[in-house]
C-alpha cells in the first residue's frame, strides 16, 4: 500500500516528490472511498516536506473531485505510458523528472511510463482486483512480464 511508504524510504531512493495514481492506488478502481489511512499519510508526507501530485489517465470529472477531497494538485488525462503527463506533473511540482517516483499499480501504464520518463517506480499491488475481462487479461500479462523483469531479462 502507498501508505507504507515513508519519507525516509524516499530519501534512500533519492526521491524528492511523489506522483500518485488514483485507481487501485489511492482508492479502488473508479471508487470514491479513500484507502484506509490515506489522509493521515498525506498529512505526514506534507509535514516532512514531500511534494505530492496525482497523475491519472482518468478524465478530469473523475480526478478533480477526488484530488480536491484530499487537497492535492493533479494532472488528469495523463496519457501514461507516454511522458506527457509526467512532464506536466514535474513542471507543476517544479522538480526534475529524475527526482520523482510514481506510485501506481499497472505495468503497462505506470511502470512503463515511469521507465520511459526517467521517473522511479513504486509498483503497488492493486487495492482490489478488477472484474472486467480486459483487466484480467492485462493482469495475467503483467505477471508474466514481471517474472521476466525479476529474472533480469528486462531492465
Amino acid at each position: 500500500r502507498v501508505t507504507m511508504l515513508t519519507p525516509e524510504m524516499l530519501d534512500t531512493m533519492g526521491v524528492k516528490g511523489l506522483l500518485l495514481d488514483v485507481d487501485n492506488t489511492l482508492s479502488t478502481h473508479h471508487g470514491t472511498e479513500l484507502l484506509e489511512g490515506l489522509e493521515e499519510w498525506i498529512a505526514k508526507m506534507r509535514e516532512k516536506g514531500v511534494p505530492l501530485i496525482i497523475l491519472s489517465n482518468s478524465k478530469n470529472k473523475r480526478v478533480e473531485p477526488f484530488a480536491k477531497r484530499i487537497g492535492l494538485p493533479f494532472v488528469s488525462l495523463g496519457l501514461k505510458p507516454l511522458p506527457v503527463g509526467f512532464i506536466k506533473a514535474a513542471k507543476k511540482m517544479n522538480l526534475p523528472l529524475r527526482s520523482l517516483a510514481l506510485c501506481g499499480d499497472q505495468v503497462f501504464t505506470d511502470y512503463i511510463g515511469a521507465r520511459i520518463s526517467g521517473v522511479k517506480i513504486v509498483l503497488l499491488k492493486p487495492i482490489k482486483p478488477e472484474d472486467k475481462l480486459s483487466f484480467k487479461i492485462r493482469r495475467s500479462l503483467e505477471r508474466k512480464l514481471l517474472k521476466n523483469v525479476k529474472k533480469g531479462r528486462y531492465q
Side-chain angles (χ1 to χ4, degrees):
R1 305 258 167 154
V2 70
T3 54
M4 302 294 281
L5 283 174
T6 65
E8 295 76 25
M9 293 165 95
L10 299 176
D11 277 344
T12 301
M13 295 169 62
V15 171
K16 303 293 182 210
L18 279 179
L19 312 170
L20 304 167
D21 185 36
V22 174
D23 291 323
N24 256 331
T25 301
L26 304 181
S27 183
T28 57
H29 191 74
H30 289 294
T32 57
E33 294 296 316
L34 299 178
L35 176 67
E36 186 177 327
L38 181 64
E39 291 173 299
E40 295 82 4
W41 178 80
I42 290 170
K44 179 181 173 183
M45 289 298 191
R46 281 191 175 131
E47 180 183 303
K48 296 291 184 176
V50 178
L52 306 170
I53 190 169
I54 292 174
L55 173 58
S56 176
N57 281 350
S58 293
K59 294 178 182 175
N60 198 63
K61 70 179 184 179
R62 160 78 173 133
V63 181
E64 185 175 24
F66 195 91
K68 282 185 178 178
R69 183 173 169 197
I70 56 177
L72 293 180
F74 67 94
V75 173
S76 58
L77 290 174
L79 301 176
K80 295 179 288 181
L82 300 176
V84 176
F86 291 90
I87 293 166
K88 283 182 185 177
K91 283 182 181 177
K92 280 188 172 193
M93 298 175 90
N94 199 27
L95 289 169
L97 287 165
R98 68 182 178 281
S99 72
L100 302 175
L102 172 69
C103 297
D105 68 299
Q106 291 191 54
V107 170
F108 296 111
T109 55
D110 301 321
Y111 179 87
I112 292 173
R115 296 298 301 261
I116 289 170
S117 301
V119 169
K120 293 170 185 72
I121 181 72
V122 178
L123 192 62
L124 305 168
K125 288 185 180 179
I127 294 171
K128 180 181 172 190
E130 301 88 349
D131 295 337
K132 289 184 179 180
L133 180 61
S134 64
F135 268 104
K136 289 181 180 184
I137 292 168
R138 198 173 321 153
R139 294 294 185 192
S140 175
L141 293 170
E142 287 177 347
R143 282 190 295 277
K144 289 176 185 173
L145 181 63
L146 287 174
K147 281 182 187 175
N148 286 321
V149 167
K150 287 178 184 174
K151 289 179 183 176
R153 291 189 180 129
Y154 303 110
Q155 298 299 321

